[in-house]
Amino acid sequence: MESPEETSPEKEEKKEETESKEEPVMAAEAKDNDNSPSDKQKESPEKSPDAKEVAKAEEEEESPEKDQEESPAQDEPEDKKPGTAEVKKEEENVQEEIKEQREQPREKEAKEEDTEVRDEKPKMQDTKTVEDEKSEQRVEGRGDRGGKEIVEEEKKDDSRSPEEKPVPIKRRDSKFELQKASVMYRPEFIYDKNESQKDIKMWDLMSSYLGSDIKSIQRQIVNHVEYTLARTRFNFDNNGCYYATAYAVRDRLVESWNDTYQHIFEQDPKCVYYMSMEYLLGRMLQNALVNLGQEANFKDALEDLGYNLEEIYDEENDPGLGNGGLGRLAACFLDSFTTLEYPAWGYGIRYNYGIFKQGIRDGYQFEMPDYWLGRGNPWEIERLDVIIPVRFYGNVRTYWENGVERKVWEGGENVRAMAYDIPIPGYNAFNTNNLRLWRACPSTEFDFKSFNTGDYFGAVKARQKAESISSVLYPNDTTIQGKELRLKQEYFFCAATLEDIIQRFLKKHDNWNDFPEKVAIQLNDTHPALTIVEMMRLLIDQYKLPWDQAWNICSQTFSYTNHTVMVEALEKWDVDLMQKLLPRHLDIIYWINHLFLQDVRKVCGDNEGIIRSLSLIEEGDSKKVRMANLCVVASNKVNGVARIHTKLVKNWLFKDFVHYYNKLGKKTQDKFINVTNGVTPRRWLLCANPRLANLITQKIGHEEWITDLSLIADLKSFADEEEVINEFIEIRRFNKVRLAEWVKKNCNGLVIDTNSLFDVFVKRIHEYKRQFMAALYIVHRYLWIKEMNPNDRGNVVKRTFLIGGKAAPGYEAAKKTIKLISMIANVVNNDGDVSPFMKVVFMPNYSVSNAQIIIPAADLSQHISTAGTEASGTSNMKFAMNGCLIIGTMDGANVEIAEEVGHENMFIFGANVEEVGRYRRMMAEGKRDYVPATLSKVFTALYSGRFGNIGEMDWIFKKLVGGDDHYILCWDFQSYLECQKRVDECYKDQRKWMAKAITSIACSGKFSTDRTIKEYAENIW
């Protein structure tokens, strides 16, 4: 994917030029801007004056004809061409300003850009001084100009003298630097060459960005207190301060957001649309301030008003838009899209409720509604002008048109999708991207007839039914009604998103073959897979394209990211349910499958095993649609998210597809590729661990690592320095104290020892992640300390086990794991012999904001999934980036982390993928003597009732010892035990441990989403 031509969206009233820099420009907007010009209303090109041109300004004033000859064609209206009395007078005023500017000392810091036109990063427009900019805008007409046009102009007229040739484009080096000016000017766009007085007046009123000085910030905050919140200074508490501050920050984002999408509409680059059912964004205020470079200014402004910014951060709710790693990855991608200034939109659903708030009562998880919108969301913009109809149920009617059989989907029920936009800032970026979320609304708000007959519930029934679609993230699908609601939710998301994308495309294009050249749609897992079918329906039924052309467009537009190799986790939908809810889509799926299997037979013959494996329809008592197979067949690229995961995708999960494409003559690497996940260092270092971020900057001597994490490798040379180790110890101590305070506040007043090793295990609770094995190890450690001679306990490494994560409401084994951990914690923490040496904490309601406190404080982090089950994992990257050592298996991204930081700086144990397969075969053949003596002792202690009645989880233990140890917990336990001993020995030598931790930080450069997104852009989009 190529970056579009660029223009600088900032201008500064400043008497000096600053350093230049290349940057790609951002995403395209069409649909939402009522003022968007048509493709025929191009902006007038303008020259980019530098010092030499400014020096010639007075001479050019004497000869306007010459100025016209040397400038490119200026299709200006007559009343604005040089020569009119009005413009001449304006020119004289401008030239006086230029003359005054020349008389003042100017410090030249601009660097010349390379004038060679490159595909990946075209040149940016010059960010000029305000006087130069005004001169150009008034004399030559309003508009921005990209550097590529300047370069091509140079090529056309190489005969000019050096004085006459345009100087290469200059670019400001940093938005942060521009913000230091008293006024920062916005880019200007031409809407109509015959601009009215209204347009000119509006430009005058909106020509500069909001001020960033303390007084301006304070004025904006108090204005929102009074005019947005309708409060007074006597009712201005921390909560009101949060909302007022958030609105003041959002105002800044909206300015850049509008400029970005107006500019991109004009540039018309290819844009990527990222579709994900989850976005685990975390709190947004701190992230926005850090990315805007305004945290210090806002902190000072608020302190002057009597407020503490850290306390204000705590007033924000975590948005309930995600659950686990899938959503957190998507949120990191949004940050990197904008930071790297790629043209991108995120799409998702605006859930009224998050998955749930987790509480612990008597050791059991209980779920509470997470109504995160209860106090409103200051970051979103409700788009009443962007409403898209979505149909369900109905029937398919066949008709003939010009000798062609056609079908139309009609009847059924309709709902409306209303857009809510959230501006996404990038770090030190000139642009702001967009996350568009859909809310389900009824097509008819109120049934007045039912109301008048006394049927008050019936009057609002349609509204309640529609709103349920976007009410809850992942409704429980263990019932028929739950499955239907979940399928509705997915199609609602897909239909609204695709219609929005298509309408934006049609604003500038009328040739459908251009669609893949302007649109790339990335499917984050299979949840958005119905977008493929919906696109085929629209192209064939609505836009009347032939099937082959429509399919060719689809297969070039979509790409699919797989996130699991567990077959049971791959999404499938009952054919009967889809026939009822989406009848036309099922027709299309059957036809796609029919044509695809015809091709398979041509290549592979009548191999029923291959055909059955590749079919989009799973045969059986209840036929199902395989959404993963649909994604593979229709996508241009299929990617895994870690190298070992991609290998499993190709060699096991989709091996028959690989076989087919190889026989077809298509190289496997052309279809199946790897893009290892990452995380954003802005949130997970700069926001979560600012003291560590400052230490990194001090030692390596710059802040460039924040946007190029590979540069953090320079820290490695300091890993053994005593001074750096001491500073790192102090930072870790500060973070551990902060976490201990959080635990005391949120975990029933439990006090933990900040001098102990903080052993952290925070993940979604699942059998393959093996929290159950960690619980069994805690029992083993308890028994070991309890049976020890009291005089020897002083040599024990103190540990605090901190465990957190949610279990899906219908996942019984996961909920029993939480209960077991709670039972163990109750015994350990109340045992006077053992509790001084170990504590066990289950941290409720794990979230992004909690993670930003937990991760920087962790000494050891557990990533112990069964080899071959975790696609990647990203929390391991966050821990490594913060100097936490990892204990884990060779699974997911652990493999690549070990390669980067060194096996000697991790604690690796357990069976590899091949061994896991062998152990499972041995159990299937009847082997039962695989439980080690150390684990048998643990089972005996649990069955004795020492930790409480485990009768309700007896079935789990029977599975483990009875040949159904699918996740190889018993097989890996002894290896896990030995590895934990190595952890203890290493932690006793604090200098050695901290040196490993610093090395881990220095070697984490690969695991930034900036690198991930660049690989997507280069290899997929």
Side-chain angles (χ1 to χ4, degrees):
M1 177 181 181
E2 296 180 1
S3 300
E5 286 191 57
E6 309 157 340
T7 62
S8 168
E10 323 288 12
K11 301 172 179 70
E12 167 191 8
E13 189 166 32
K14 198 173 176 184
K15 306 303 182 188
E16 61 182 19
E17 296 177 33
T18 54
E19 263 189 305
S20 64
K21 154 178 164 179
E22 295 178 349
E23 293 192 21
V25 200
M26 291 338 334
E29 157 69 356
K31 185 175 181 64
D32 315 324
N33 197 327
D34 291 337
N35 293 324
S36 297
S38 71
D39 57 337
K40 295 179 182 178
Q41 293 171 317
K42 303 294 183 182
E43 58 188 23
S44 297
E46 56 179 281
K47 292 183 74 173
S48 300
D50 82 330
K52 292 180 180 178
E53 291 177 304
V54 172
K56 292 164 50 184
E58 294 176 17
E59 179 184 344
E60 291 174 344
E61 180 185 7
E62 301 295 329
S63 179
E65 295 83 359
K66 181 179 178 181
D67 181 74
Q68 283 183 309
E69 290 173 1
E70 290 193 345
S71 295
Q74 304 283 328
D75 295 327
E76 298 178 325
E78 286 297 322
D79 62 342
K80 293 192 178 182
K81 287 185 179 179
T84 65
E86 180 183 347
V87 174
K88 282 185 177 179
K89 183 177 179 181
E90 205 170 24
E91 284 180 300
E92 290 171 3
N93 293 335
V94 172
Q95 297 305 333
E96 267 189 42
E97 292 177 12
I98 295 175
K99 191 173 182 180
E100 290 174 7
Q101 174 192 345
R102 290 182 60 226
E103 291 172 356
Q104 297 190 27
R106 300 180 59 181
E107 191 177 315
K108 289 194 153 194
E109 298 176 351
K111 296 188 294 186
E112 289 193 354
E113 301 272 7
D114 182 357
T115 56
E116 177 186 355
V117 179
R118 290 177 289 179
D119 289 334
E120 293 183 3
K121 291 190 177 180
K123 299 296 170 284
M124 297 293 295
Q125 179 202 11
D126 184 19
T127 303
K128 311 165 194 70
T129 62
V130 173
E131 290 79 0
D132 292 341
E133 194 64 45
K134 287 181 178 177
S135 174
E136 278 191 58
Q137 290 173 354
R138 293 174 183 170
V139 179
E140 299 184 67
R142 291 175 170 82
D144 289 314
R145 187 179 185 192
K148 186 174 179 180
E149 297 174 55
I150 297 289
V151 173
E152 290 179 352
E153 181 185 324
E154 285 186 273
K155 292 179 179 178
K156 290 177 184 176
D157 191 4
D158 288 335
S159 63
R160 290 172 290 179
S161 66
E163 291 77 12
E164 293 173 323
K165 290 182 182 179
V167 174
I169 299 303
K170 303 285 194 297
R171 169 65 183 227
R172 301 291 188 187
D173 184 57
S174 166
K175 184 178 181 181
F176 291 175
E177 290 301 315
L178 288 176
Q179 290 172 164
K180 295 177 182 177
S182 58
V183 179
M184 188 164 72
Y185 281 82
R186 299 174 69 173
E188 188 175 6
F189 302 95
I190 287 183
Y191 301 125
D192 190 331
K193 292 174 183 174
N194 298 300
E195 289 179 285
S196 66
Q197 186 62 34
K198 179 192 75 172
D199 297 325
I200 296 171
K201 183 63 177 176
M202 287 187 68
W203 163 247
D204 289 340
L205 292 171
M206 302 171 67
S207 61
S208 61
Y209 288 108
L210 290 170
S212 297
D213 59 282
I214 304 301
K215 290 298 181 185
S216 295
I217 291 171
Q218 290 175 334
R219 172 55 59 191
Q220 292 145 19
I221 291 172
V222 298
N223 280 348
H224 279 296
V225 171
E226 184 156 28
Y227 303 127
T228 305
L229 304 179
R231 295 191 181 191
T232 70
R233 66 181 184 274
F234 306 109
N235 185 24
F236 187 22
D237 57 8
N238 273 1
N239 185 254
C241 185
Y242 159 69
Y243 280 94
T245 303
Y247 282 120
V249 175
R250 194 192 75 174
D251 288 346
R252 288 163 165 72
L253 297 181
V254 168
E255 288 179 328
S256 173
W257 182 62
N258 281 331
D259 290 344
T260 297
Y261 285 108
Q262 182 56 52
H263 168 66
I264 297 307
F265 178 81
E266 296 183 356
Q267 295 295 313
D268 192 28
K270 185 174 185 178
C271 183
V272 60
Y273 297 96
Y274 192 78
M275 295 183 64
S276 177
M277 287 288 282
E278 292 187 44
Y279 290 94
L280 204 57
L281 297 172
R283 292 173 176 172
M284 298 183 69
L285 178 56
Q286 184 190 19
N287 185 69
L289 287 175
V290 167
N291 279 0
L292 291 173
Q294 292 290 341
E295 188 176 34
N297 285 352
F298 270 75
K299 181 178 180 181
D300 293 343
L302 288 169
E303 283 183 354
D304 192 44
L305 292 172
Y307 296 89
N308 182 286
L309 183 58
E310 292 293 331
E311 294 176 2
I312 301 306
Y313 288 153
D314 288 336
E315 292 293 320
E316 184 173 3
N317 288 329
D318 278 45
L321 300 171
N323 177 36
L326 190 77
R328 189 54 236 161
L329 178 72
C332 288
F333 276 15
L334 294 180
D335 177 271
S336 286
F337 277 137
T338 312
T339 297
L340 297 173
E341 298 191 312
Y342 279 110
W345 283 67
Y347 278 98
I349 295 178
R350 180 185 181 266
Y351 303 103
N352 292 335
Y353 297 89
I355 190 164
F356 59 83
K357 278 188 177 179
Q358 182 193 52
I360 304 296
R361 184 187 297 133
D362 297 328
Y364 293 96
Q365 170 183 293
F366 68 96
E367 299 88 31
M368 301 172 285
D370 178 18
Y371 189 40
W372 69 280
L373 290 169
R375 295 186 298 174
N377 178 14
W379 301 102
E380 69 182 12
I381 297 105
E382 184 180 38
R383 302 307 301 261
L384 297 173
D385 57 326
V386 184
I387 296 177
I388 294 172
V390 179
R391 184 188 307 274
F392 299 105
Y393 308 109
N395 56 79
V396 179
R397 177 172 60 86
T398 302
Y399 68 99
W400 290 84
E401 181 180 80
N402 299 325
V404 178
E405 184 185 63
R406 297 200 178 279
K407 297 189 178 184
V408 61
W409 182 24
E410 55 190 15
E413 69 179 41
N414 289 286
V415 300
R416 298 184 301 166
M418 181 186 293
Y420 286 75
D421 290 343
I422 298 178
I424 304 295
Y427 183 81
N428 198 10
F430 287 92
N431 302 316
T432 298
N433 279 345
N434 192 36
L435 170 61
R436 174 157 288 180
L437 304 174
W438 301 106
R439 174 192 168 201
C441 305
S443 56
T444 303
E445 287 285 332
F446 186 76
D447 186 347
F448 200 70
K449 183 178 179 181
S450 296
F451 186 83
N452 281 341
T453 61
D455 185 5
Y456 304 125
F457 291 107
V460 295
K461 182 179 179 181
R463 181 180 187 87
Q464 292 173 335
K465 190 174 181 181
E467 290 181 344
S468 67
I469 294 171
S470 58
S471 287
V472 182
L473 167 65
Y474 295 149
N476 191 337
D477 60 356
T478 56
T479 64
I480 296 296
Q481 295 85 350
K483 286 182 170 65
E484 184 172 330
L485 179 58
R486 194 149 171 180
L487 182 57
K488 261 189 174 182
Q489 194 177 71
E490 291 187 5
Y491 175 67
F492 166 81
F493 167 44
C494 296
T497 299
L498 185 62
E499 180 66 22
D500 199 43
I501 293 169
I502 286 175
Q503 291 306 314
R504 190 171 298 113
F505 169 80
L506 292 177
K507 273 203 166 186
K508 300 212 62 159
H509 303 276
D510 56 13
N511 184 346
W512 281 105
N513 292 327
D514 292 338
F515 194 82
E517 300 302 315
K518 292 299 179 181
V519 173
I521 300 177
Q522 188 69 38
L523 307 177
N524 191 28
D525 215 338
T526 56
H527 307 124
L530 284 169
T531 314
I532 297 164
V533 191
E534 175 69 0
M535 186 165 180
M536 289 297 293
R537 184 186 74 82
L538 291 176
L539 293 179
I540 295 165
D541 295 353
Q542 183 170 320
Y543 297 104
K544 311 297 176 67
L545 268 62
W547 177 278
D548 289 345
Q549 183 184 4
W551 182 250
N552 187 53
I553 292 168
C554 268
S555 59
Q556 292 182 67
T557 298
F558 290 96
S559 297
Y560 159 53
T561 301
N562 173 273
H563 285 279
T564 183
V565 293
M566 293 189 291
V567 175
E568 64 272 19
L570 293 176
E571 198 171 38
K572 300 172 187 176
W573 290 109
D574 288 338
V575 165
D576 291 343
L577 176 59
M578 190 167 285
Q579 177 68 55
K580 172 187 174 184
L581 193 66
L582 304 168
R584 177 58 177 141
H585 296 76
L586 185 62
D587 282 351
I588 293 171
I589 289 170
Y590 272 130
W591 191 242
I592 292 171
N593 194 46
H594 170 73
L595 295 176
F596 174 65
L597 292 183
Q598 276 189 340
D599 292 340
V600 171
R601 285 187 170 92
K602 290 176 186 176
V603 174
C604 301
D606 292 326
N607 185 327
E608 287 304 316
I610 292 286
I611 291 169
R612 190 164 39 251
S613 172
L614 300 188
S615 176
L616 275 55
I617 307 298
E618 181 179 273
E619 302 294 336
D621 294 337
S622 175
K623 290 185 177 182
K624 298 180 185 297
V625 180
R626 296 164 165 164
M627 305 310 286
N629 284 22
L630 172 64
C631 289
V632 173
V633 170
S635 293
N636 178 43
K637 299 283 187 182
V638 177
N639 75 279
V641 291
R643 197 167 61 245
I644 187 174
H645 170 239
T646 303
K647 182 179 178 182
L648 288 168
V649 164
K650 292 192 292 187
N651 296 344
W652 184 70
L653 187 65
F654 296 136
K655 64 179 170 57
D656 289 331
F657 278 103
V658 171
H659 173 73
Y660 163 68
Y661 286 117
N662 284 339
K663 291 199 74 171
L664 193 62
K666 190 171 186 176
K667 294 179 180 178
T668 303
Q669 59 267 30
D670 291 339
K671 180 81 172 181
F672 297 91
I673 67 171
N674 176 61
V675 185
T676 299
N677 282 343
V679 299
T680 169
R682 270 75 64 180
R683 180 176 290 274
W684 295 108
L685 258 179
L686 212 55
C687 292
N689 205 342
R691 285 171 171 76
L692 177 57
N694 289 337
L695 176 62
I696 294 167
T697 298
Q698 290 170 14
K699 294 307 170 186
I700 68 177
H702 58 76
E703 293 184 335
E704 293 176 17
W705 63 270
I706 298 170
T707 52
D708 183 358
L709 198 62
S710 64
L711 300 176
I712 208 171
D714 292 346
L715 186 67
K716 191 172 183 179
S717 60
F718 297 94
D720 295 317
E721 285 195 9
E722 192 75 12
E723 179 186 353
V724 176
I725 288 174
N726 288 336
E727 288 184 62
F728 182 75
I729 289 172
E730 287 304 311
I731 291 168
R732 178 62 56 81
R733 181 175 292 116
F734 172 87
N735 291 329
K736 291 173 82 168
V737 168
R738 182 176 61 162
L739 177 55
E741 292 170 353
W742 185 93
V743 167
K744 185 176 181 180
K745 179 181 177 181
N746 294 279
C747 301
N748 301 316
L750 183 65
V751 176
I752 59 177
D753 186 352
T754 56
N755 291 316
S756 65
L757 186 158
F758 279 16
D759 185 339
V760 175
F761 199 153
V762 283
K763 291 177 181 292
R764 176 171 55 95
I765 310 296
H766 197 288
E767 287 171 281
Y768 85 83
K769 294 180 184 289
R770 302 202 293 191
Q771 287 94 344
F772 204 88
M773 184 166 74
L776 297 178
Y777 170 72
I778 294 171
V779 173
H780 166 83
R781 191 175 183 90
Y782 168 83
L783 297 174
W784 172 60
I785 295 173
K786 186 72 173 176
E787 295 166 3
M788 187 181 293
N789 186 313
N791 295 328
D792 295 333
R793 289 175 185 158
N795 297 321
V796 170
V797 172
K798 296 180 180 180
R799 283 226 205 173
T800 300
F801 294 92
L802 298 131
I803 304 169
K806 295 179 180 180
Y811 191 180
E812 195 63 22
K815 298 182 87 168
K816 295 305 181 189
T817 299
I818 294 175
K819 173 60 175 174
L820 178 62
I821 292 167
S822 299
M823 290 167 60
I824 295 167
N826 185 55
V827 172
V828 171
N829 297 342
N830 290 289
D831 188 318
D833 293 334
V834 178
S835 60
F837 305 98
M838 65 180 284
K839 290 277 179 69
V840 182
V841 185
F842 188 88
M843 301 176 290
N845 206 41
Y846 182 60
S847 64
V848 175
S849 55
N850 296 347
Q852 288 183 226
I853 297 172
I854 295 166
I855 291 173
D859 293 305
L860 182 73
S861 179
Q862 302 210 36
H863 304 270
I864 61 175
S865 55
T866 308
T869 58
E870 186 75 83
S872 170
T874 54
S875 64
N876 44 8
M877 302 171 186
K878 298 164 195 169
F879 281 103
M881 197 176 284
N882 278 272
C884 173
L885 301 191
I886 289 174
I887 179 171
T889 53
M890 283 289 94
D891 192 33
N894 281 357
V895 176
E896 289 162 80
I897 293 174
E899 290 174 359
E900 297 295 315
V901 308
H903 286 71
E904 69 279 8
N905 294 313
M906 289 176 65
F907 301 98
I908 305 298
F909 74 94
N912 59 32
V913 174
E914 291 75 19
E915 290 169 333
V916 168
R918 186 167 73 251
Y919 296 157
R920 286 173 177 167
R921 287 192 298 273
M922 290 168 67
M923 284 187 289
E925 292 166 1
K927 185 174 179 61
R928 296 292 180 268
D929 56 344
Y930 51 77
V931 180
T934 48
L935 185 55
S936 293
K937 184 177 180 180
V938 169
F939 287 159
T940 300
L942 288 168
Y943 272 107
S944 72
R946 193 169 181 176
F947 295 89
N949 184 3
I950 64 165
E952 59 187 304
M953 57 194 78
D954 181 58
W955 60 277
I956 300 176
F957 292 100
K958 287 181 176 177
K959 274 178 55 177
L960 292 176
V961 301
D964 194 13
D965 184 11
H966 183 71
Y967 296 109
I968 317 299
L969 189 153
C970 298
W971 299 78
D972 272 354
F973 187 79
Q974 191 61 36
S975 175
Y976 180 48
L977 209 66
E978 298 302 322
C979 194
Q980 289 283 16
K981 290 179 182 178
R982 298 201 303 273
V983 170
D984 282 341
E985 288 304 311
C986 184
Y987 196 74
K988 289 177 181 178
D989 186 343
Q990 277 289 285
R991 299 291 166 182
K992 179 181 178 182
W993 183 280
M994 295 305 170
K996 289 176 178 288
I998 294 168
T999 300
S1000 176
I1001 298 167
C1003 296
S1004 62
K1006 175 180 177 178
F1007 304 107
S1008 166
T1009 39
D1010 296 345
R1011 186 267 315 153
T1012 305
I1013 290 300
K1014 286 177 182 176
E1015 290 184 10
Y1016 272 98
E1018 292 168 3
N1019 301 324
I1020 297 180
W1021 305 323

